[in-house]
Each structure stands twice: as C-alpha cells, then as structure tokens.
Amino acid sequence: MSAQIKVAVLGAAGRMGSEAVKAVTDAADMELVASLGRGDDLQQIIDAGATHIVDLSVPASTEQNVRFAIEHGLHAVVGTTGWSDERRAALEALLAEHPENGVLIAPNFALGSVLASAFAATAAKYFESVEIIELHHPNKVDAPSGTAVRTAELIAKSREAAGVAPSPDATETQLDGARGAEVDGIHVHSVRLRGLVAHQEVLLGGPGEQLTLRHDSYDRASFMPGVLLGLRTVASRPGLTYGLDGYLELGQ
Amino acid sequence: MSAQIKVAVLGAAGRMGSEAVKAVTDAADMELVASLGRGDDLQQIIDAGATHIVDLSVPASTEQNVRFAIEHGLHAVVGTTGWSDERRAALEALLAEHPENGVLIAPNFALGSVLASAFAATAAKYFESVEIIELHHPNKVDAPSGTAVRTAELIAKSREAAGVAPSPDATETQLDGARGAEVDGIHVHSVRLRGLVAHQEVLLGGPGEQLTLRHDSYDRASFMPGVLLGLRTVASRPGLTYGLDGYLELGQ
Amino acid sequence: MSAQIKVAVLGAAGRMGSEAVKAVTDAADMELVASLGRGDDLQQIIDAGATHIVDLSVPASTEQNVRFAIEHGLHAVVGTTGWSDERRAALEALLAEHPENGVLIAPNFALGSVLASAFAATAAKYFESVEIIELHHPNKVDAPSGTAVRTAELIAKSREAAGVAPSPDATETQLDGARGAEVDGIHVHSVRLRGLVAHQEVLLGGPGEQLTLRHDSYDRASFMPGVLLGLRTVASRPGLTYGLDGYLELGQ
Amino acid sequence: MSAQIKVAVLGAAGRMGSEAVKAVTDAADMELVASLGRGDDLQQIIDAGATHIVDLSVPASTEQNVRFAIEHGLHAVVGTTGWSDERRAALEALLAEHPENGVLIAPNFALGSVLASAFAATAAKYFESVEIIELHHPNKVDAPSGTAVRTAELIAKSREAAGVAPSPDATETQLDGARGAEVDGIHVHSVRLRGLVAHQEVLLGGPGEQLTLRHDSYDRASFMPGVLLGLRTVASRPGLTYGLDGYLELGQ
C-alpha cells in the first residue's frame, strides 16, 4: 500500500524501543524501515525512506533526533522524557517553519491510564467527593506516584473551574496519615504490595451513589496501542501536541 | 434573588416526586412554588408563578403536563417514562412554535450512571475487549438490567463506528450460560445477590492493561443532583434534549 | 414447637433493638415474648416465660440486665458496649455459679465483617504484604475506623506469632500521609466519600498474586443474622464468649 | 545447618520446574542437590543426598518418581497432574508400608487461591446469596475455569451440609445466558478480556451487607511460596495429603 506508514524506531535496543519494534512490525498498515540505537547515524532514517520516527531514546539525544526528523520532513512520536518548557518552546519555533509536520510528545502512552485521568477530571465536576488510591509494587521509592499527582492536579483544576466545593470531611481525630496525602486539596492514598505492578482508582461519591474509575497496568505492552495510535494520527495533526489525550475523541 | 428558579413539582406524592420536593426546597438558588398530585388543576402552576416544572408523574399524564408547561412559557424537566417516538415528535413540533422553551426528558437522572455509560462508549473504541457485569438485589425479575442493555448498545455502536473488531474469545467448550448473554455482540453478565441495590461494571481490556468503570447506586437520592442540574440548565437549552448526557460537558 | 427460643428484647425502642424485635418476630424457630425499654421492670422477662434475652440497651444498664438474666437461668446475647475487663471478670465469676448458662457479648454482629477479620488474620501469615483500606461516609469523625484498627491488631498478632517479616516498603520520599497510618506496623488508609456507608478492604500480596477481602455494610439490617445466630447457639455454649467469631466454624 | 532440606527437583526443565529450581536455590533453609529432566536416572536423587523431591514432571512419569522417592525414604511434594483415584489409592497402600514418609499432592500451589476457596466454603454457610465471577485472558478455551467449578462444588457442599437454602432469585425473563452457568446450583460467570491473566471473585450477600473474596494471579511465581511451604511441612505430615489446604492453619 503506497500510503503505508514507514517507521524508524530510535532507541530500538531499550525496553520500550524493543516493544515498539515488535508492535510496528506486527501492524498491518505500517512498515518498519529502520531501527537505530545509541550512536547510530541519523542519516539511516532518510536512506531507509522513513515517513515517521518513534523516539524512545534518552533525554540527552531526543531533542536532536526530533529536530533532525522535522528538518527532513518527517513526523515524530516521542516517548522520551526530558522535554522541559524551554525545549518545547524551541521545538514549536522550529515547527512554525515546517507547518506540514506533526509531533506528539506523550508522557504516558497507556490508553487506559490517559482515558481514566481524562474521565476523572470530567466527572469530578459532578460529584461532592473525590479521592484517589494508587497501588504499586513495594520497590517503588516515591509516594504518591507521578500519575496520581497529575490526576489529582487535573481533578482539582476541573473542580475549581466549575466552582465545586472541597470534598466534605468531618474528621476530628485521626491517626497520623490515615486520611492520606493532600495534592491541591485532593486526598491521595498510596498502597505498596508485593505482586502488584501499577494500579490506580479514582473514587467519586455523591448522595446515594458512587463512581469508580480503575486502571490496572500489568505490562509494558500496554503502551504499544498508544504508540500505534500516535503514528496513525500524527501526520494529520501539524504542530506540537503534548499528551496522548490530545489525539483521543473524548466527547461522544 | 430575582433570577431564582421557581419550581412546580408534578407527581409530588410519588417516591421520586417527594425526593424532588425535598431537593428543590433545600437548593439555595431555587424556590418550590407548587406541588401537584394526581388530579390537581394545572392552573395552580401558573398561579404560583412557576418558571419551571419537574414532571415525575405517570405515563398517562406526562404528555399533557409538559404541553401545558410549554404553552404557558415554562421550561420542563421530565423523569416520567412513556415518551414514545411519536410523543417526542409531537413535542418537538410544539417546541418549534415556542423557540424560547427548553425541555429535558431523561430516562436516568443518576449522574454517575450517565457518566459511566458515556465513558464506556468513548473508551470502547480504544480497547480490544469489553464486557459488562451488572449486579442487583435478588428481587429483580429481568436480566440483564435495562441500563446494562442500553450501555451495551452504546458500546456496540461506538465500536462499529470506529471499525473495532469483536472482542477476542477462544472459548470452545462452555457450560451453558457461562459466557453470559450477548447484546449486539457485547457479553453481559447478571449477578443477583441479597444486600445489593443496583451496580454495574464495564470492563475494558487491552494488551497489558485494564480499565474498569463501576457505578454503585445505593439510594433514590442519587437522582436528585441530576434533577437539579437539569433545572439549572434547561432554560439555556431551547428545544428538546433527550438524555441527561446532553447537558454534561464530557470532553475536557 | 416446645423447643422454641423464647426471646425478650431489652432496649427494644432503640435503633438496633427495634430491628431485633422485627428479626425475632420473623424467625420461624423463635417467639418474641417481651420487649422492654428504659425503666421497664425486668420481672416482665420472667413473667413472659423468656428463655433468652437480647440486650441492646445502654452501657449504664447492660450489666444489671445480664446479671438478672443469669440469676434467673436465662441465656443472654449482648450487643451493648461498655463491657470493660472488670465487668467481664465479674460476669465470669457469676457464670461459674451458673454453669448451665451461656452469654455472648459481641462488639460486632455483622457476619461478613467478623468473617473478613478472621480470614484476614488467617491469611496474613501466608503473604509478604498486607494493607488495609477502610471507606466511610464523610460525617465520620475518627480515622481510621475502630474495625480497621482491630483488624490491623489481629493481623499484626497473627504475623508476629508466625514469625512473618514486616511488609516490604522501599519508599524513600513521600508526601506527608501518602502511605497512610500505621497500626502495629500495618498500613491503614481511610477514605471518606459522600454516598458510602461502611466498607473495608484487606489487601494481601505475594509474588505474582493478590488476595483481597472486602466487606460492604449498607444497612443496620446486616447485624440481624448475627443476632439470630447468637440466639440459636448461646444455650449450647455455657460460660462467657466474647466476639461472634467464637460461634463461627472457621476451619473447614 | 545439618537439618537443612535437601531438594531434588524433577521436571526441572519445564516452566514450573525451572521456577522451582530458582525458588529452592534462593531459600535460606534449603539446598538444591539435584535437578532432573526427562529420562534422567532417578538414582541421581539418592547419590546427591536428597531428603525431599519436588515432582513437576509429566503425568506419564510422576507415579514412578514418587514411588521411587518413598521407597528410598524421601518425602515428596507433587504438582504434576494425573493422580487418579486409583493412583492415589495405590500410593496410600505404599505409604502404609513407609509410615515415616510424607507426600503432598496439590492441584493448586497458589496460596491465595487455595485460601480464597477455603474461605468461600466457610463463609457460604452464613450468607443467603453466593455467586462466582471468574475472569481470564481471551485465549482460554474452556468456561468456566476448573478453579471456579471446584470452588462452586466446595461452596455447594458446605451449604448443603449446613442446610442453607438456595440463593434467592426472582428472575422471570432473561436474555439467554445472562444469569451465567450453574454448577451444583451456584451461578458462575466467565469473563474473557485481553490483558487479564487469571482472576476470581466469590460474592456473598446477606441483608444489608456483602462479602467479596477476590484472588488475582498474575504470574507463575505465585506458585512458589506454596511449593516451599509444602517442602517445609511434608516431613511432619506422614501419609498422603491431597490439597495444599491440608497444610494451612485455617482456623484462628
């Protein structure tokens, strides 16, 4: 098929990169034309005829990789961290000179997690109470998880914009820590348990009813449907999109 | 406050109606100006200076009530069943002559349930697998519940529009009924258990991840935030809106 | 039936007491012979031919009620609080003189809650990790709940007796409170949410697996099966039993 | 330590066997003295000084392996399937001649799963309603799962012994399959979802309350704590024990 997406994977030897190599290879509407690791010459991407890159390399090289892609007329889907405000501003300036090119930078490619956060922010306007429980393996060094903090921030922003009062709470005496941490006024509880991977529940309550949004992440494979969705969409979205939710149809 | 919503409740002696009387009375931005039961003269609504009606009466009188309200320049929020396609078409014709008036007819006022169904339809486009479990008290005579059937239909429609393949299923041998009922190709399981009220889970699965949307309904009180939201919104939405989701901001 | 259980309910006008009156009346193998409220003459119990009392009165009168029952050869099922160590010791001394009589004092009559706590203590010996999440309505003034504290204490005792190491936890940096409260080394998280009643989850984790024990309490009616079980069992258990778990067959 | 458990793993090249080799090697109180694959000479077990065998081979060789172990005074922990009633009877006859030797044959080594089944059978006596939901990956060919069928049988037996009535169910009209399969009168629902591994929920309901027992199995690693528990216990339990629950302290 002439319209096929020709993909070069950068950071192909890493854990995410090797999953992406597999996923692109298995996708019927894509062709894997190049796999680059650390130190490989970027010119290979052009020689192989790529139309898209997936950058899953390291913070030190991601900016150079993406600029190279844009300057050669390619679209880019980026999962590497390290995109500070400055880097993103510089990238947008470059994209202004290449108005046909699209770039997606996504801190999270798990569709279920991105959807759950978006749904939580939407629903939080309509309920009196909201709290977050995140559950992870016991080797995690920080609590709460970054995803839980971002979800709480989104929820708080959504409730503030809608003028919703803080969640009711009559607690007078508590054992230290019982009511969890507070992130922008939202209570967040962190469970650590052997056997778990990465899980999150947003609990919303109103008179006589409860809505629970739960996401379970078992495996790095969960990121690949999001990477493929990014590759299929990025050419039709010129400029920079930050966050996979920008590509999802969240209304009805 | 002059801009206050002046509400007449019709069907005020019923179970839903008496909850609505309480809820309207307690709402700071509303005034309950009339409560009508079976056989009461509708003229009372006008005499009391109502700007809105809430119709929670019976199928036999709801059409007459709503037409009366529109003809007198009032807005209407309607929870009574029995609005066939014919009735709704006739109502829309009447509303065409009263372009300032709004009517909301909602088969379900529980915000959590309406949101859960909408989220399920949105998310179902992005996952390989989806199934529904509904759980109710053991006195329920039908299975699956009406809400589960409607949720399955919404999901099936959303997946079909997006070109999503049927959920994978390698089952070769099954004990009769083990895989549940099928509604438009979506598997639905009905649990009946003493102690429960009305609960529903939509389970969505992709490689390495799961998204679960659960709604628990414990009490009729859960319908009142939706009724109040309807009353606060209906004046700004001329014409007929069918379903409370039409009033919710579901995108971001 | 001559062997029928003839029951006098004390504290019959209270919330629990009135439920008990209904439950005893509805039980085919029991007969409600007397219902006493505050200040009623205890002699009515004897005159009515009661064989058992259910005491759901107040701390100030429960001791006197139970002693009266024993001295007249009756069995007693007691849900009233206020049974200090001293009172229980005095009661056991009295029971030593009445070796045929049985008394059950139960701080919790909800079978599901009692079973969940017992199962949690049993299972906690076999898992690396254990944490508790309790969820209640937002009008509750203390956190964690008394049930969660008792469950944590039972779990800690069971793990200590079996020589199980503390749950693994690599947390280095946490937002204050994120990891919950600690009760005897067990992490306990308290969620407060409009719409909820009283709920508890014990989460147990080992390599590659998780066991979750969840109890939902929706209604005071949940105590009645435990009260009836107590009435049916107490005559065959002379002496004092503390805790409904003493009457449950927990092994196989 | 002289009292150390010296273990020979049979079927060491298989998926379970290789996990067992790792688990025994890592256990401080055990020594791996031999690892045998298909066709290896059983005499190696004796020459290596083993005191225990773990048999995770194939149905065709397990009986011979276990008989060899007993005849040489060793204890055996067996996870291989294929132990028919006849084979077990023959094994018990052999053990009668070797009264010091212990054998554990376990169809399931996941502690959480074994505990959940045992708890379900115990609790089912005390609740009006009980149903089972099992959830697996969509490549599973049979429904319900074997574990769900066995759990339902245990529950049915426990309820029958206690004289509990069937779960109430007022269903009059149902879409075919909605109420699930029936195993000995217990309703069982089978969910198949991409991303899942093996999960089971037993739901128990009474007036105003619910008890839920959920087991999640993510990984074959979950069997190893059960295998090690078997090895540590088998020498103190002469004769044949069938099922890991025989080694668990299930009461308090």
Side-chain angles (χ1 to χ4, degrees):
Chain A
M1 187 165 82
S2 60
Q4 206 149 16
I5 299 168
K6 300 189 177 188
V7 183
V9 176
L10 283 71
R15 292 186 302 183
M16 281 278 285
S18 55
E19 290 278 345
V21 164
K22 257 193 296 180
V24 169
T25 304
D26 291 352
D29 58 344
M30 299 187 189
E31 189 185 342
L32 180 76
V33 298
S35 296
L36 282 75
R38 190 168 300 197
D40 283 347
D41 185 351
L42 295 178
Q43 185 58 34
Q44 290 180 35
I45 299 169
I46 311 305
D47 297 348
T51 57
H52 292 64
I53 68 162
V54 176
D55 186 82
L56 300 163
S57 61
V58 291
S61 55
T62 183
E63 189 175 19
Q64 182 189 349
N65 294 344
V66 175
R67 296 187 72 95
F68 180 89
I70 295 167
E71 284 160 0
H72 289 80
L74 277 64
H75 308 288
V77 169
V78 183
T80 317
T81 57
W83 283 90
S84 60
D85 289 351
E86 290 75 22
R87 281 185 167 183
R88 282 154 63 183
L91 181 61
E92 290 193 307
L94 179 65
L95 281 163
E97 301 166 22
H98 298 266
E100 312 255 296
N101 285 80
V103 175
L104 168 69
I105 299 178
N108 188 348
F109 278 108
L111 286 168
S113 175
V114 172
L115 287 168
S117 290
F119 293 160
T122 295
K125 294 195 290 281
Y126 299 109
F127 285 89
E128 265 187 67
S129 299
V130 55
E131 300 206 4
I132 300 174
I133 303 172
E134 55 91 347
L135 314 95
H136 283 81
H137 58 84
N139 302 326
K140 190 169 176 56
V141 294
D142 56 323
S145 67
T147 299
V149 170
R150 277 191 298 275
T151 307
E153 289 168 350
L154 282 173
I155 286 172
K157 212 172 118 187
S158 158
R159 284 167 75 89
E160 199 194 336
V164 179
S167 299
D169 184 359
T171 309
E172 287 170 13
T173 60
Q174 73 162 306
L175 210 55
D176 199 35
R179 292 285 290 114
E182 277 191 60
V183 176
D184 291 0
I186 309 299
H187 289 261
V188 182
H189 310 268
S190 299
V191 174
R192 298 293 172 263
L193 213 70
R194 177 72 70 216
L196 293 185
V197 185
H199 317 257
Q200 182 170 304
E201 283 186 1
V202 179
L203 296 92
L204 301 124
E209 69 169 339
Q210 189 185 356
L211 177 65
T212 307
L213 308 170
R214 180 176 173 116
H215 181 251
D216 295 278
S217 181
Y218 300 122
D219 194 311
R220 204 166 292 115
S222 67
F223 300 125
M224 291 310 124
V227 170
L228 298 183
L229 176 72
L231 284 168
R232 286 178 184 126
T233 311
V234 65
S236 64
R237 301 288 180 97
L240 174 61
T241 303
Y242 189 76
L244 185 61
D245 47 327
Y247 282 14
L248 302 180
E249 293 165 26
L250 291 173
Q252 276 184 298
Chain B
M1 188 166 82
S2 61
Q4 208 150 11
I5 300 168
K6 299 186 177 191
V7 183
V9 176
L10 283 70
R15 291 187 303 184
M16 279 280 284
S18 55
E19 290 278 344
V21 164
K22 254 193 297 179
V24 168
T25 304
D26 291 351
D29 57 344
M30 300 188 188
E31 191 186 341
L32 181 75
V33 297
S35 297
L36 282 74
R38 191 167 301 197
D40 284 345
D41 185 350
L42 295 178
Q43 185 59 34
Q44 290 179 34
I45 299 168
I46 310 306
D47 297 346
T51 57
H52 292 65
I53 68 161
V54 176
D55 186 83
L56 299 163
S57 61
V58 292
S61 56
T62 183
E63 189 176 19
Q64 182 188 348
N65 295 343
V66 175
R67 296 187 73 94
F68 180 89
I70 294 167
E71 285 160 359
H72 289 79
L74 279 62
H75 308 286
V77 169
V78 183
T80 317
T81 57
W83 282 90
S84 62
D85 289 351
E86 291 74 21
R87 281 185 167 183
R88 282 154 62 183
L91 181 60
E92 289 192 308
L94 179 65
L95 280 164
E97 302 165 22
H98 298 266
E100 312 255 295
N101 285 81
V103 175
L104 168 69
I105 299 178
N108 187 349
F109 277 108
L111 286 168
S113 176
V114 172
L115 287 168
S117 290
F119 293 159
T122 295
K125 294 194 292 279
Y126 299 109
F127 285 88
E128 265 187 66
S129 299
V130 56
E131 301 205 2
I132 298 173
I133 304 172
E134 56 92 345
L135 313 95
H136 282 81
H137 58 85
N139 302 327
K140 190 170 175 58
V141 295
D142 55 324
S145 67
T147 299
V149 170
R150 278 191 299 276
T151 307
E153 289 168 351
L154 281 173
I155 288 172
K157 212 172 118 188
S158 158
R159 285 168 75 89
E160 199 193 337
V164 179
S167 298
D169 184 358
T171 309
E172 287 171 11
T173 60
Q174 71 161 308
L175 211 55
D176 199 35
R179 292 284 292 115
E182 278 192 57
V183 176
D184 291 358
I186 309 298
H187 289 261
V188 182
H189 310 270
S190 299
V191 173
R192 297 293 172 263
L193 214 69
R194 178 71 70 217
L196 292 184
V197 185
H199 316 258
Q200 182 170 302
E201 283 187 1
V202 179
L203 296 91
L204 302 125
E209 69 167 342
Q210 190 185 354
L211 178 65
T212 306
L213 307 170
R214 179 176 174 115
H215 181 250
D216 295 278
S217 181
Y218 300 123
D219 194 313
R220 206 167 291 116
S222 68
F223 298 126
M224 291 310 125
V227 169
L228 298 184
L229 177 70
L231 283 168
R232 289 180 183 122
T233 311
V234 65
S236 63
R237 302 290 180 95
L240 174 60
T241 303
Y242 188 75
L244 186 60
D245 47 327
Y247 282 12
L248 302 181
E249 294 165 26
L250 291 172
Q252 278 183 297
Chain C
M1 187 166 79
S2 59
Q4 207 148 13
I5 300 168
K6 301 188 177 189
V7 182
V9 176
L10 284 69
R15 291 188 301 185
M16 280 279 285
S18 56
E19 290 278 345
V21 164
K22 257 194 297 181
V24 169
T25 304
D26 291 352
D29 57 345
M30 298 187 190
E31 189 186 341
L32 180 75
V33 297
S35 297
L36 281 73
R38 191 169 299 198
D40 284 346
D41 185 352
L42 296 179
Q43 184 61 33
Q44 291 179 35
I45 299 169
I46 310 306
D47 296 348
T51 57
H52 293 64
I53 69 162
V54 175
D55 186 83
L56 299 163
S57 61
V58 292
S61 56
T62 184
E63 189 175 19
Q64 180 189 350
N65 295 344
V66 176
R67 296 187 73 94
F68 180 90
I70 295 167
E71 285 161 357
H72 290 80
L74 278 63
H75 308 286
V77 169
V78 183
T80 317
T81 56
W83 284 90
S84 61
D85 290 352
E86 290 74 23
R87 281 185 168 182
R88 283 154 64 183
L91 181 60
E92 290 192 307
L94 179 65
L95 281 162
E97 302 165 22
H98 298 267
E100 311 255 297
N101 285 81
V103 175
L104 168 69
I105 299 178
N108 188 349
F109 277 108
L111 286 167
S113 176
V114 172
L115 286 168
S117 290
F119 293 160
T122 296
K125 295 195 290 279
Y126 299 109
F127 285 89
E128 265 187 66
S129 299
V130 56
E131 299 205 5
I132 299 174
I133 303 172
E134 55 92 345
L135 313 95
H136 283 80
H137 59 85
N139 302 327
K140 190 169 175 58
V141 295
D142 56 323
S145 67
T147 300
V149 170
R150 279 191 297 275
T151 308
E153 289 168 350
L154 281 173
I155 287 172
K157 212 171 118 188
S158 158
R159 285 168 75 89
E160 200 194 336
V164 179
S167 299
D169 184 358
T171 309
E172 286 169 13
T173 60
Q174 72 161 309
L175 211 55
D176 200 36
R179 293 283 292 114
E182 278 191 59
V183 176
D184 292 359
I186 308 299
H187 288 261
V188 181
H189 309 269
S190 299
V191 174
R192 297 293 172 264
L193 214 69
R194 177 72 70 215
L196 294 184
V197 185
H199 316 258
Q200 182 169 304
E201 283 187 0
V202 179
L203 295 92
L204 303 125
E209 70 168 340
Q210 189 185 355
L211 178 65
T212 306
L213 307 170
R214 179 175 175 117
H215 180 251
D216 295 279
S217 181
Y218 301 123
D219 195 313
R220 203 167 294 114
S222 67
F223 299 125
M224 291 310 124
V227 169
L228 298 183
L229 177 71
L231 284 167
R232 287 178 184 124
T233 312
V234 64
S236 63
R237 301 291 180 95
L240 173 61
T241 303
Y242 188 75
L244 185 60
D245 48 327
Y247 282 13
L248 302 180
E249 293 165 26
L250 292 171
Q252 279 184 294
Chain D
M1 187 165 83
S2 60
Q4 207 149 13
I5 300 168
K6 300 187 177 190
V7 183
V9 176
L10 283 69
R15 291 187 304 184
M16 280 280 283
S18 56
E19 289 278 345
V21 163
K22 255 194 297 181
V24 169
T25 304
D26 290 352
D29 58 343
M30 299 188 190
E31 190 185 340
L32 180 76
V33 298
S35 297
L36 281 74
R38 191 169 300 197
D40 283 347
D41 185 352
L42 295 178
Q43 185 58 34
Q44 289 179 36
I45 298 168
I46 311 304
D47 296 348
T51 57
H52 293 65
I53 68 162
V54 176
D55 186 84
L56 299 163
S57 62
V58 292
S61 56
T62 184
E63 188 174 20
Q64 182 189 348
N65 295 343
V66 175
R67 296 187 72 94
F68 180 89
I70 295 166
E71 285 161 359
H72 289 80
L74 279 63
H75 309 287
V77 169
V78 183
T80 317
T81 57
W83 283 88
S84 61
D85 289 352
E86 290 75 23
R87 280 184 168 184
R88 281 155 64 185
L91 180 60
E92 289 192 308
L94 179 64
L95 280 163
E97 301 166 23
H98 299 266
E100 313 254 295
N101 285 80
V103 175
L104 168 70
I105 298 178
N108 187 350
F109 278 108
L111 286 168
S113 176
V114 172
L115 287 168
S117 291
F119 293 159
T122 296
K125 294 194 290 279
Y126 299 108
F127 285 88
E128 264 188 66
S129 300
V130 56
E131 300 206 3
I132 298 173
I133 304 172
E134 56 92 344
L135 313 95
H136 283 81
H137 58 85
N139 302 326
K140 189 168 176 60
V141 295
D142 56 323
S145 67
T147 300
V149 170
R150 277 191 300 274
T151 307
E153 290 168 351
L154 281 173
I155 287 171
K157 213 172 119 188
S158 158
R159 284 168 75 89
E160 200 194 337
V164 179
S167 299
D169 184 359
T171 309
E172 286 170 13
T173 60
Q174 73 161 306
L175 210 55
D176 199 34
R179 293 284 292 115
E182 278 192 57
V183 176
D184 291 0
I186 309 298
H187 289 261
V188 182
H189 310 269
S190 299
V191 174
R192 298 291 173 263
L193 214 70
R194 179 72 70 217
L196 293 185
V197 185
H199 316 258
Q200 183 170 302
E201 282 186 1
V202 179
L203 295 90
L204 302 125
E209 70 167 341
Q210 189 186 356
L211 177 66
T212 307
L213 308 170
R214 179 174 175 116
H215 181 250
D216 296 277
S217 182
Y218 301 123
D219 194 313
R220 204 166 293 115
S222 67
F223 300 125
M224 292 310 125
V227 169
L228 298 183
L229 177 71
L231 284 168
R232 287 179 183 124
T233 311
V234 64
S236 63
R237 302 289 181 96
L240 174 62
T241 302
Y242 189 75
L244 185 60
D245 48 327
Y247 282 12
L248 302 180
E249 292 165 29
L250 292 173
Q252 279 183 296

